[in-house]
Amino acid sequence: ILTVPLGICGAIIAMFFTGIPLGVLSMIGVILLCGIVVNNGIIFVARIQQLSQQGHDPSMAARTAGSERLRPILITSATTILGLLPLALGLGPGAELRKPLAITVVWGLALATVMTLAVIPTGYRLLQRSNRSGDVS
């Protein structure tokens, strides 16, 4: 859930800088973006939890998961960004209609991917620490 606001911030920045109004296609792009960003976060957190269950220190588990899951996250993001780049640039017939969708996804995914690699481990550690302090047993 921590990754969704990062993607939405990227989409809002994209709409602001490119002058794209908030419309149906840009909102569909935000929904698509949220799905991809959440998937990247799940890949990351699942590996952190696996390493924690194997007995690794939570900080070390987050670092190790970051190095191990960097490539899959970057590949997922890069293929989506490169696939939508012709639409975002307005190339091809009818691209001007779908341009808002592509721009929101490309910018949002680019920002969210970079920020995910920093925010997820930090957020996981903070949530882990708050869960431990709330334990009564």
Short mmCIF file of all heavy atoms in Angstrom, two decimals, residues 60-132:
data_model
loop_
_atom_site.label_atom_id
_atom_site.label_comp_id
_atom_site.label_asym_id
_atom_site.label_seq_id
_atom_site.Cartn_x
_atom_site.Cartn_y
_atom_site.Cartn_z
N MET A 60 18.90 -6.49 7.52
CA MET A 60 19.67 -7.25 6.55
C MET A 60 18.74 -7.91 5.52
O MET A 60 19.07 -7.99 4.34
CB MET A 60 20.51 -8.32 7.26
CG MET A 60 21.48 -8.99 6.36
SD MET A 60 22.52 -7.75 5.58
CE MET A 60 23.97 -8.69 5.34
N ALA A 61 17.58 -8.36 5.98
CA ALA A 61 16.60 -8.95 5.06
C ALA A 61 16.13 -7.92 4.03
O ALA A 61 16.01 -8.25 2.84
CB ALA A 61 15.40 -9.49 5.85
N ALA A 62 15.91 -6.69 4.46
CA ALA A 62 15.48 -5.64 3.54
C ALA A 62 16.58 -5.31 2.53
O ALA A 62 16.31 -5.15 1.34
CB ALA A 62 15.09 -4.39 4.31
N ARG A 63 17.82 -5.25 2.99
CA ARG A 63 18.94 -4.98 2.08
C ARG A 63 19.14 -6.11 1.07
O ARG A 63 19.33 -5.87 -0.11
CB ARG A 63 20.23 -4.75 2.87
CG ARG A 63 20.38 -3.33 3.31
CD ARG A 63 21.77 -3.10 3.91
NE ARG A 63 21.52 -2.60 5.25
CZ ARG A 63 21.92 -3.17 6.37
NH1 ARG A 63 22.63 -4.25 6.35
NH2 ARG A 63 21.60 -2.65 7.53
N THR A 64 19.08 -7.33 1.57
CA THR A 64 19.27 -8.48 0.69
C THR A 64 18.14 -8.58 -0.32
O THR A 64 18.38 -8.83 -1.51
CB THR A 64 19.35 -9.78 1.52
OG1 THR A 64 20.37 -9.64 2.49
CG2 THR A 64 19.62 -10.97 0.65
N ALA A 65 16.91 -8.37 0.12
CA ALA A 65 15.76 -8.41 -0.79
C ALA A 65 15.87 -7.32 -1.84
O ALA A 65 15.51 -7.53 -3.00
CB ALA A 65 14.46 -8.27 -0.01
N GLY A 66 16.38 -6.16 -1.44
CA GLY A 66 16.57 -5.07 -2.41
C GLY A 66 17.53 -5.45 -3.51
O GLY A 66 17.27 -5.19 -4.69
N SER A 67 18.62 -6.08 -3.15
CA SER A 67 19.59 -6.46 -4.19
C SER A 67 19.08 -7.63 -5.02
O SER A 67 19.35 -7.70 -6.21
CB SER A 67 20.94 -6.78 -3.55
OG SER A 67 20.83 -7.91 -2.72
N GLU A 68 18.33 -8.55 -4.40
CA GLU A 68 17.83 -9.71 -5.13
C GLU A 68 16.63 -9.38 -6.02
O GLU A 68 16.46 -10.00 -7.06
CB GLU A 68 17.43 -10.82 -4.16
CG GLU A 68 18.58 -11.48 -3.46
CD GLU A 68 18.14 -12.54 -2.48
OE1 GLU A 68 16.92 -12.76 -2.35
OE2 GLU A 68 19.02 -13.13 -1.84
N ARG A 69 15.82 -8.46 -5.62
CA ARG A 69 14.60 -8.14 -6.38
C ARG A 69 14.72 -6.89 -7.23
O ARG A 69 13.75 -6.48 -7.86
CB ARG A 69 13.41 -8.02 -5.43
CG ARG A 69 13.08 -9.29 -4.72
CD ARG A 69 12.69 -10.36 -5.72
NE ARG A 69 12.34 -11.60 -5.03
CZ ARG A 69 12.81 -12.78 -5.38
NH1 ARG A 69 13.65 -12.90 -6.38
NH2 ARG A 69 12.44 -13.86 -4.73
N LEU A 70 15.89 -6.30 -7.26
CA LEU A 70 16.09 -5.09 -8.07
C LEU A 70 15.86 -5.38 -9.55
O LEU A 70 15.14 -4.66 -10.23
CB LEU A 70 17.51 -4.54 -7.85
CG LEU A 70 17.89 -3.34 -8.70
CD1 LEU A 70 17.02 -2.15 -8.35
CD2 LEU A 70 19.36 -3.00 -8.50
N ARG A 71 16.46 -6.45 -10.06
CA ARG A 71 16.35 -6.77 -11.48
C ARG A 71 14.90 -7.05 -11.90
O ARG A 71 14.44 -6.48 -12.89
CB ARG A 71 17.26 -7.93 -11.84
CG ARG A 71 17.30 -8.15 -13.34
CD ARG A 71 18.15 -9.32 -13.74
NE ARG A 71 19.45 -9.27 -13.14
CZ ARG A 71 20.28 -10.30 -13.11
NH1 ARG A 71 19.93 -11.45 -13.63
NH2 ARG A 71 21.46 -10.18 -12.55
N PRO A 72 14.15 -7.92 -11.20
CA PRO A 72 12.76 -8.14 -11.64
C PRO A 72 11.90 -6.88 -11.61
O PRO A 72 11.07 -6.67 -12.50
CB PRO A 72 12.23 -9.18 -10.64
CG PRO A 72 13.42 -9.82 -10.07
CD PRO A 72 14.52 -8.82 -10.11
N ILE A 73 12.11 -6.04 -10.59
CA ILE A 73 11.33 -4.81 -10.51
C ILE A 73 11.69 -3.87 -11.66
O ILE A 73 10.81 -3.28 -12.30
CB ILE A 73 11.53 -4.14 -9.13
CG1 ILE A 73 10.84 -4.97 -8.05
CG2 ILE A 73 11.00 -2.71 -9.12
CD1 ILE A 73 11.14 -4.54 -6.64
N LEU A 74 12.97 -3.72 -11.93
CA LEU A 74 13.39 -2.84 -13.02
C LEU A 74 12.95 -3.37 -14.38
O LEU A 74 12.56 -2.59 -15.26
CB LEU A 74 14.92 -2.66 -13.00
CG LEU A 74 15.47 -1.81 -11.87
CD1 LEU A 74 16.99 -1.74 -11.95
CD2 LEU A 74 14.87 -0.42 -11.88
N ILE A 75 12.99 -4.68 -14.58
CA ILE A 75 12.57 -5.25 -15.85
C ILE A 75 11.07 -5.04 -16.06
O ILE A 75 10.63 -4.66 -17.16
CB ILE A 75 12.94 -6.74 -15.94
CG1 ILE A 75 14.45 -6.88 -16.09
CG2 ILE A 75 12.22 -7.43 -17.09
CD1 ILE A 75 14.96 -8.30 -16.01
N THR A 76 10.27 -5.27 -15.04
CA THR A 76 8.82 -5.05 -15.13
C THR A 76 8.52 -3.59 -15.48
O THR A 76 7.72 -3.30 -16.38
CB THR A 76 8.13 -5.41 -13.81
OG1 THR A 76 8.41 -6.77 -13.50
CG2 THR A 76 6.64 -5.20 -13.88
N SER A 77 9.18 -2.68 -14.79
CA SER A 77 8.95 -1.26 -15.03
C SER A 77 9.45 -0.84 -16.40
O SER A 77 8.76 -0.11 -17.13
CB SER A 77 9.62 -0.43 -13.95
OG SER A 77 9.08 -0.74 -12.70
N ALA A 78 10.63 -1.30 -16.77
CA ALA A 78 11.22 -0.89 -18.05
C ALA A 78 10.39 -1.39 -19.24
O ALA A 78 10.19 -0.65 -20.20
CB ALA A 78 12.65 -1.40 -18.16
N THR A 79 9.91 -2.62 -19.17
CA THR A 79 9.11 -3.12 -20.30
C THR A 79 7.80 -2.36 -20.44
O THR A 79 7.37 -2.07 -21.55
CB THR A 79 8.82 -4.63 -20.14
OG1 THR A 79 8.20 -4.87 -18.88
CG2 THR A 79 10.08 -5.45 -20.27
N THR A 80 7.19 -2.01 -19.32
CA THR A 80 5.95 -1.24 -19.38
C THR A 80 6.21 0.17 -19.91
O THR A 80 5.48 0.66 -20.78
CB THR A 80 5.29 -1.16 -17.99
OG1 THR A 80 5.12 -2.49 -17.49
CG2 THR A 80 3.97 -0.47 -18.05
N ILE A 81 7.25 0.81 -19.40
CA ILE A 81 7.58 2.16 -19.85
C ILE A 81 7.94 2.17 -21.33
O ILE A 81 7.45 3.01 -22.10
CB ILE A 81 8.72 2.76 -19.00
CG1 ILE A 81 8.20 3.07 -17.58
CG2 ILE A 81 9.30 4.01 -19.64
CD1 ILE A 81 9.28 3.43 -16.59
N LEU A 82 8.79 1.25 -21.75
CA LEU A 82 9.19 1.21 -23.16
C LEU A 82 8.02 0.84 -24.07
O LEU A 82 7.94 1.33 -25.20
CB LEU A 82 10.35 0.24 -23.36
CG LEU A 82 11.67 0.67 -22.73
CD1 LEU A 82 12.71 -0.43 -22.86
CD2 LEU A 82 12.17 1.96 -23.36
N GLY A 83 7.12 0.00 -23.59
CA GLY A 83 5.95 -0.36 -24.37
C GLY A 83 4.98 0.80 -24.55
O GLY A 83 4.32 0.92 -25.59
N LEU A 84 4.89 1.67 -23.57
CA LEU A 84 3.97 2.81 -23.64
C LEU A 84 4.62 4.08 -24.19
O LEU A 84 3.93 5.07 -24.42
CB LEU A 84 3.38 3.10 -22.26
CG LEU A 84 2.37 2.07 -21.76
CD1 LEU A 84 1.98 2.38 -20.32
CD2 LEU A 84 1.14 2.06 -22.65
N LEU A 85 5.92 4.05 -24.40
CA LEU A 85 6.62 5.25 -24.87
C LEU A 85 6.11 5.76 -26.22
O LEU A 85 5.93 6.98 -26.36
CB LEU A 85 8.13 4.98 -24.92
CG LEU A 85 9.03 6.18 -24.75
CD1 LEU A 85 8.70 6.95 -23.48
CD2 LEU A 85 10.48 5.75 -24.74
N PRO A 86 5.85 4.90 -27.22
CA PRO A 86 5.30 5.45 -28.48
C PRO A 86 3.97 6.17 -28.28
O PRO A 86 3.73 7.21 -28.90
CB PRO A 86 5.13 4.21 -29.36
CG PRO A 86 6.10 3.23 -28.83
CD PRO A 86 6.17 3.49 -27.35
N LEU A 87 3.12 5.64 -27.39
CA LEU A 87 1.86 6.33 -27.11
C LEU A 87 2.09 7.64 -26.38
O LEU A 87 1.43 8.65 -26.65
CB LEU A 87 0.95 5.45 -26.26
CG LEU A 87 0.09 4.44 -26.97
CD1 LEU A 87 -0.73 3.63 -25.98
CD2 LEU A 87 -0.81 5.10 -27.97
N ALA A 88 3.02 7.64 -25.43
CA ALA A 88 3.30 8.85 -24.65
C ALA A 88 3.88 9.95 -25.54
O ALA A 88 3.63 11.13 -25.31
CB ALA A 88 4.26 8.54 -23.51
N LEU A 89 4.65 9.55 -26.55
CA LEU A 89 5.21 10.53 -27.48
C LEU A 89 4.22 10.97 -28.54
O LEU A 89 4.48 11.90 -29.30
CB LEU A 89 6.47 9.95 -28.14
CG LEU A 89 7.64 9.66 -27.20
CD1 LEU A 89 8.75 8.96 -27.95
CD2 LEU A 89 8.13 10.94 -26.56
N GLY A 90 3.09 10.30 -28.61
CA GLY A 90 2.07 10.66 -29.60
C GLY A 90 2.34 10.10 -30.97
O GLY A 90 1.89 10.66 -31.96
N LEU A 91 3.06 9.00 -31.04
CA LEU A 91 3.37 8.37 -32.32
C LEU A 91 2.28 7.38 -32.71
O LEU A 91 1.73 6.69 -31.87
CB LEU A 91 4.72 7.64 -32.25
CG LEU A 91 5.92 8.47 -31.81
CD1 LEU A 91 7.14 7.60 -31.67
CD2 LEU A 91 6.17 9.60 -32.79
N GLY A 92 1.96 7.33 -33.98
CA GLY A 92 0.98 6.36 -34.47
C GLY A 92 -0.41 6.96 -34.56
O GLY A 92 -0.71 7.99 -33.95
N PRO A 93 -1.26 6.28 -35.32
CA PRO A 93 -2.63 6.78 -35.50
C PRO A 93 -3.45 6.65 -34.21
O PRO A 93 -3.41 5.62 -33.54
CB PRO A 93 -3.20 5.89 -36.60
CG PRO A 93 -2.35 4.65 -36.60
CD PRO A 93 -1.01 5.07 -36.10
N GLY A 94 -4.17 7.67 -33.87
CA GLY A 94 -5.03 7.67 -32.70
C GLY A 94 -4.31 7.80 -31.38
O GLY A 94 -4.93 7.66 -30.33
N ALA A 95 -3.02 8.07 -31.43
CA ALA A 95 -2.24 8.13 -30.19
C ALA A 95 -2.63 9.34 -29.33
O ALA A 95 -2.51 9.28 -28.11
CB ALA A 95 -0.76 8.18 -30.50
N GLU A 96 -3.13 10.40 -29.96
CA GLU A 96 -3.47 11.57 -29.16
C GLU A 96 -4.62 11.30 -28.21
O GLU A 96 -4.73 11.92 -27.16
CB GLU A 96 -3.75 12.81 -29.96
CG GLU A 96 -4.25 12.92 -31.34
CD GLU A 96 -3.85 12.01 -32.46
OE1 GLU A 96 -2.69 11.88 -32.82
OE2 GLU A 96 -4.78 11.44 -33.02
N LEU A 97 -5.46 10.32 -28.55
CA LEU A 97 -6.56 9.97 -27.65
C LEU A 97 -6.07 9.20 -26.43
O LEU A 97 -6.61 9.33 -25.35
CB LEU A 97 -7.60 9.12 -28.40
CG LEU A 97 -8.38 9.83 -29.50
CD1 LEU A 97 -9.29 8.85 -30.22
CD2 LEU A 97 -9.19 10.97 -28.91
N ARG A 98 -5.06 8.35 -26.63
CA ARG A 98 -4.56 7.52 -25.55
C ARG A 98 -3.32 8.10 -24.87
O ARG A 98 -2.78 7.50 -23.95
CB ARG A 98 -4.27 6.12 -26.08
CG ARG A 98 -5.52 5.38 -26.50
CD ARG A 98 -5.21 4.01 -27.04
NE ARG A 98 -4.45 4.04 -28.28
CZ ARG A 98 -4.97 4.09 -29.50
NH1 ARG A 98 -6.26 4.12 -29.65
NH2 ARG A 98 -4.19 4.10 -30.56
N LYS A 99 -2.89 9.25 -25.32
CA LYS A 99 -1.68 9.87 -24.76
C LYS A 99 -1.79 10.15 -23.25
O LYS A 99 -0.83 9.89 -22.52
CB LYS A 99 -1.38 11.16 -25.53
CG LYS A 99 -0.03 11.74 -25.27
CD LYS A 99 0.23 12.92 -26.19
CE LYS A 99 1.60 13.49 -25.94
NZ LYS A 99 1.90 14.58 -26.87
N PRO A 100 -2.92 10.64 -22.73
CA PRO A 100 -3.00 10.86 -21.28
C PRO A 100 -2.78 9.58 -20.47
O PRO A 100 -2.12 9.61 -19.43
CB PRO A 100 -4.42 11.40 -21.07
CG PRO A 100 -4.80 11.98 -22.37
CD PRO A 100 -4.11 11.16 -23.41
N LEU A 101 -3.32 8.46 -20.94
CA LEU A 101 -3.13 7.19 -20.25
C LEU A 101 -1.65 6.83 -20.20
O LEU A 101 -1.11 6.50 -19.15
CB LEU A 101 -3.92 6.09 -20.97
CG LEU A 101 -3.84 4.69 -20.39
CD1 LEU A 101 -5.20 4.03 -20.49
CD2 LEU A 101 -2.82 3.85 -21.10
N ALA A 102 -0.99 6.92 -21.33
CA ALA A 102 0.42 6.53 -21.42
C ALA A 102 1.31 7.44 -20.59
O ALA A 102 2.22 6.97 -19.89
CB ALA A 102 0.87 6.54 -22.87
N ILE A 103 1.06 8.73 -20.63
CA ILE A 103 1.91 9.67 -19.89
C ILE A 103 1.77 9.46 -18.38
O ILE A 103 2.77 9.45 -17.66
CB ILE A 103 1.61 11.12 -20.30
CG1 ILE A 103 2.17 11.37 -21.70
CG2 ILE A 103 2.19 12.11 -19.30
CD1 ILE A 103 1.89 12.72 -22.26
N THR A 104 0.55 9.26 -17.90
CA THR A 104 0.39 9.04 -16.46
C THR A 104 1.07 7.74 -16.02
O THR A 104 1.69 7.71 -14.96
CB THR A 104 -1.09 9.00 -16.06
OG1 THR A 104 -1.78 8.03 -16.84
CG2 THR A 104 -1.75 10.36 -16.24
N VAL A 105 0.98 6.70 -16.83
CA VAL A 105 1.61 5.43 -16.45
C VAL A 105 3.13 5.54 -16.52
O VAL A 105 3.83 5.10 -15.60
CB VAL A 105 1.10 4.27 -17.35
CG1 VAL A 105 1.88 3.00 -17.07
CG2 VAL A 105 -0.38 4.04 -17.12
N VAL A 106 3.67 6.14 -17.58
CA VAL A 106 5.12 6.23 -17.74
C VAL A 106 5.75 7.05 -16.62
O VAL A 106 6.69 6.61 -15.96
CB VAL A 106 5.48 6.80 -19.13
CG1 VAL A 106 6.94 7.18 -19.20
CG2 VAL A 106 5.15 5.79 -20.22
N TRP A 107 5.25 8.24 -16.39
CA TRP A 107 5.83 9.09 -15.35
C TRP A 107 5.60 8.51 -13.96
O TRP A 107 6.50 8.51 -13.12
CB TRP A 107 5.23 10.50 -15.42
CG TRP A 107 5.79 11.38 -16.48
CD1 TRP A 107 5.86 11.11 -17.81
CD2 TRP A 107 6.34 12.67 -16.29
NE1 TRP A 107 6.40 12.18 -18.46
CE2 TRP A 107 6.71 13.15 -17.55
CE3 TRP A 107 6.53 13.48 -15.18
CZ2 TRP A 107 7.28 14.39 -17.73
CZ3 TRP A 107 7.09 14.74 -15.36
CH2 TRP A 107 7.47 15.17 -16.63
N GLY A 108 4.39 8.05 -13.71
CA GLY A 108 4.08 7.49 -12.39
C GLY A 108 4.91 6.25 -12.09
O GLY A 108 5.41 6.08 -10.99
N LEU A 109 5.08 5.39 -13.09
CA LEU A 109 5.85 4.17 -12.88
C LEU A 109 7.33 4.47 -12.71
O LEU A 109 8.00 3.84 -11.89
CB LEU A 109 5.63 3.21 -14.05
CG LEU A 109 6.17 1.81 -13.89
CD1 LEU A 109 5.63 1.15 -12.63
CD2 LEU A 109 5.84 0.98 -15.11
N ALA A 110 7.83 5.44 -13.44
CA ALA A 110 9.24 5.81 -13.29
C ALA A 110 9.52 6.33 -11.88
O ALA A 110 10.47 5.89 -11.23
CB ALA A 110 9.61 6.85 -14.34
N LEU A 111 8.69 7.23 -11.40
CA LEU A 111 8.89 7.76 -10.05
C LEU A 111 8.66 6.69 -8.99
O LEU A 111 9.45 6.55 -8.05
CB LEU A 111 7.95 8.95 -9.79
CG LEU A 111 8.06 9.56 -8.40
CD1 LEU A 111 9.39 10.30 -8.26
CD2 LEU A 111 6.92 10.48 -8.12
N ALA A 112 7.62 5.90 -9.14
CA ALA A 112 7.29 4.89 -8.14
C ALA A 112 8.35 3.81 -8.07
O ALA A 112 8.65 3.30 -6.98
CB ALA A 112 5.94 4.27 -8.44
N THR A 113 8.94 3.45 -9.20
CA THR A 113 9.98 2.41 -9.19
C THR A 113 11.20 2.88 -8.41
O THR A 113 11.72 2.15 -7.56
CB THR A 113 10.39 2.04 -10.63
OG1 THR A 113 9.25 1.54 -11.31
CG2 THR A 113 11.48 1.00 -10.64
N VAL A 114 11.62 4.09 -8.66
CA VAL A 114 12.79 4.62 -7.95
C VAL A 114 12.49 4.75 -6.47
O VAL A 114 13.29 4.35 -5.62
CB VAL A 114 13.21 5.98 -8.56
CG1 VAL A 114 14.27 6.64 -7.71
CG2 VAL A 114 13.70 5.79 -9.98
N MET A 115 11.33 5.27 -6.14
CA MET A 115 10.98 5.48 -4.75
C MET A 115 10.67 4.18 -4.02
O MET A 115 10.91 4.07 -2.82
CB MET A 115 9.79 6.44 -4.64
CG MET A 115 10.10 7.85 -5.11
SD MET A 115 11.45 8.59 -4.19
CE MET A 115 10.72 8.74 -2.59
N THR A 116 10.14 3.18 -4.73
CA THR A 116 9.83 1.90 -4.11
C THR A 116 11.07 1.27 -3.50
O THR A 116 11.02 0.70 -2.41
CB THR A 116 9.20 0.94 -5.14
OG1 THR A 116 7.94 1.46 -5.53
CG2 THR A 116 9.00 -0.45 -4.56
N LEU A 117 12.18 1.39 -4.19
CA LEU A 117 13.41 0.77 -3.71
C LEU A 117 13.91 1.41 -2.41
O LEU A 117 14.69 0.80 -1.69
CB LEU A 117 14.47 0.83 -4.80
CG LEU A 117 14.09 0.07 -6.07
CD1 LEU A 117 15.09 0.34 -7.17
CD2 LEU A 117 13.96 -1.41 -5.80
N ALA A 118 13.45 2.61 -2.10
CA ALA A 118 13.85 3.26 -0.85
C ALA A 118 12.74 3.22 0.20
O ALA A 118 13.01 3.02 1.38
CB ALA A 118 14.22 4.72 -1.13
N VAL A 119 11.50 3.37 -0.23
CA VAL A 119 10.40 3.50 0.72
C VAL A 119 9.97 2.15 1.30
O VAL A 119 9.67 2.06 2.50
CB VAL A 119 9.20 4.22 0.05
CG1 VAL A 119 7.96 4.18 0.92
CG2 VAL A 119 9.58 5.66 -0.27
N ILE A 120 9.93 1.11 0.49
CA ILE A 120 9.45 -0.19 0.97
C ILE A 120 10.31 -0.72 2.11
O ILE A 120 9.77 -1.12 3.15
CB ILE A 120 9.35 -1.20 -0.18
CG1 ILE A 120 8.24 -0.80 -1.14
CG2 ILE A 120 9.12 -2.62 0.33
CD1 ILE A 120 6.86 -0.83 -0.56
N PRO A 121 11.65 -0.77 1.98
CA PRO A 121 12.42 -1.28 3.12
C PRO A 121 12.27 -0.42 4.37
O PRO A 121 12.16 -0.95 5.48
CB PRO A 121 13.88 -1.24 2.63
CG PRO A 121 13.81 -1.15 1.17
CD PRO A 121 12.51 -0.50 0.84
N THR A 122 12.22 0.89 4.19
CA THR A 122 12.06 1.79 5.33
C THR A 122 10.70 1.59 5.98
O THR A 122 10.59 1.48 7.20
CB THR A 122 12.23 3.25 4.88
OG1 THR A 122 13.48 3.39 4.22
CG2 THR A 122 12.15 4.20 6.06
N GLY A 123 9.65 1.54 5.18
CA GLY A 123 8.31 1.33 5.70
C GLY A 123 8.15 -0.01 6.37
O GLY A 123 7.50 -0.13 7.41
N TYR A 124 8.77 -1.03 5.80
CA TYR A 124 8.71 -2.37 6.39
C TYR A 124 9.37 -2.36 7.77
O TYR A 124 8.83 -2.92 8.71
CB TYR A 124 9.39 -3.38 5.48
CG TYR A 124 9.27 -4.80 5.97
CD1 TYR A 124 8.11 -5.53 5.74
CD2 TYR A 124 10.30 -5.40 6.68
CE1 TYR A 124 7.98 -6.83 6.20
CE2 TYR A 124 10.18 -6.70 7.14
CZ TYR A 124 9.03 -7.41 6.90
OH TYR A 124 8.90 -8.69 7.35
N ARG A 125 10.51 -1.74 7.86
CA ARG A 125 11.22 -1.66 9.15
C ARG A 125 10.40 -0.89 10.18
O ARG A 125 10.32 -1.28 11.34
CB ARG A 125 12.59 -1.00 8.99
CG ARG A 125 13.64 -1.89 8.43
CD ARG A 125 14.01 -3.01 9.38
NE ARG A 125 14.76 -2.47 10.51
CZ ARG A 125 14.64 -2.90 11.75
NH1 ARG A 125 13.83 -3.87 12.04
NH2 ARG A 125 15.34 -2.37 12.71
N LEU A 126 9.80 0.24 9.77
CA LEU A 126 8.99 1.02 10.71
C LEU A 126 7.77 0.24 11.18
O LEU A 126 7.43 0.27 12.36
CB LEU A 126 8.56 2.34 10.06
CG LEU A 126 9.66 3.37 9.85
CD1 LEU A 126 9.13 4.56 9.07
CD2 LEU A 126 10.24 3.82 11.19
N LEU A 127 7.11 -0.45 10.25
CA LEU A 127 5.94 -1.25 10.63
C LEU A 127 6.35 -2.43 11.51
O LEU A 127 5.63 -2.80 12.43
CB LEU A 127 5.20 -1.73 9.39
CG LEU A 127 4.47 -0.65 8.61
CD1 LEU A 127 3.92 -1.20 7.31
CD2 LEU A 127 3.37 -0.02 9.44
N GLN A 128 7.49 -3.01 11.22
CA GLN A 128 8.01 -4.12 12.03
C GLN A 128 8.28 -3.65 13.45
O GLN A 128 7.95 -4.32 14.41
CB GLN A 128 9.29 -4.65 11.39
CG GLN A 128 9.85 -5.87 12.05
CD GLN A 128 9.40 -7.12 11.33
OE1 GLN A 128 8.89 -7.04 10.24
NE2 GLN A 128 9.58 -8.25 11.95
N ARG A 129 8.89 -2.47 13.57
CA ARG A 129 9.22 -1.91 14.87
C ARG A 129 7.96 -1.57 15.66
O ARG A 129 7.88 -1.81 16.85
CB ARG A 129 10.10 -0.67 14.69
CG ARG A 129 10.82 -0.27 15.95
CD ARG A 129 11.77 0.87 15.70
NE ARG A 129 12.77 0.50 14.71
CZ ARG A 129 13.41 1.36 13.96
NH1 ARG A 129 13.16 2.65 14.06
NH2 ARG A 129 14.31 0.96 13.07
N SER A 130 6.94 -1.00 14.96
CA SER A 130 5.71 -0.63 15.67
C SER A 130 4.93 -1.87 16.09
O SER A 130 4.26 -1.87 17.11
CB SER A 130 4.84 0.29 14.81
OG SER A 130 4.34 -0.42 13.70
N ASN A 131 5.02 -2.95 15.32
CA ASN A 131 4.34 -4.20 15.70
C ASN A 131 4.99 -4.81 16.93
O ASN A 131 4.31 -5.35 17.79
CB ASN A 131 4.36 -5.20 14.55
CG ASN A 131 3.33 -4.88 13.51
OD1 ASN A 131 2.41 -4.11 13.74
ND2 ASN A 131 3.48 -5.46 12.33
N ARG A 132 6.29 -4.73 17.00
CA ARG A 132 7.01 -5.29 18.17
C ARG A 132 6.70 -4.51 19.44
O ARG A 132 6.56 -5.07 20.49
CB ARG A 132 8.52 -5.28 17.92
CG ARG A 132 8.98 -6.56 17.35
CD ARG A 132 10.47 -6.67 17.49
NE ARG A 132 10.96 -7.05 16.20
CZ ARG A 132 12.08 -6.66 15.66
NH1 ARG A 132 12.87 -5.86 16.32
NH2 ARG A 132 12.46 -7.08 14.48
#
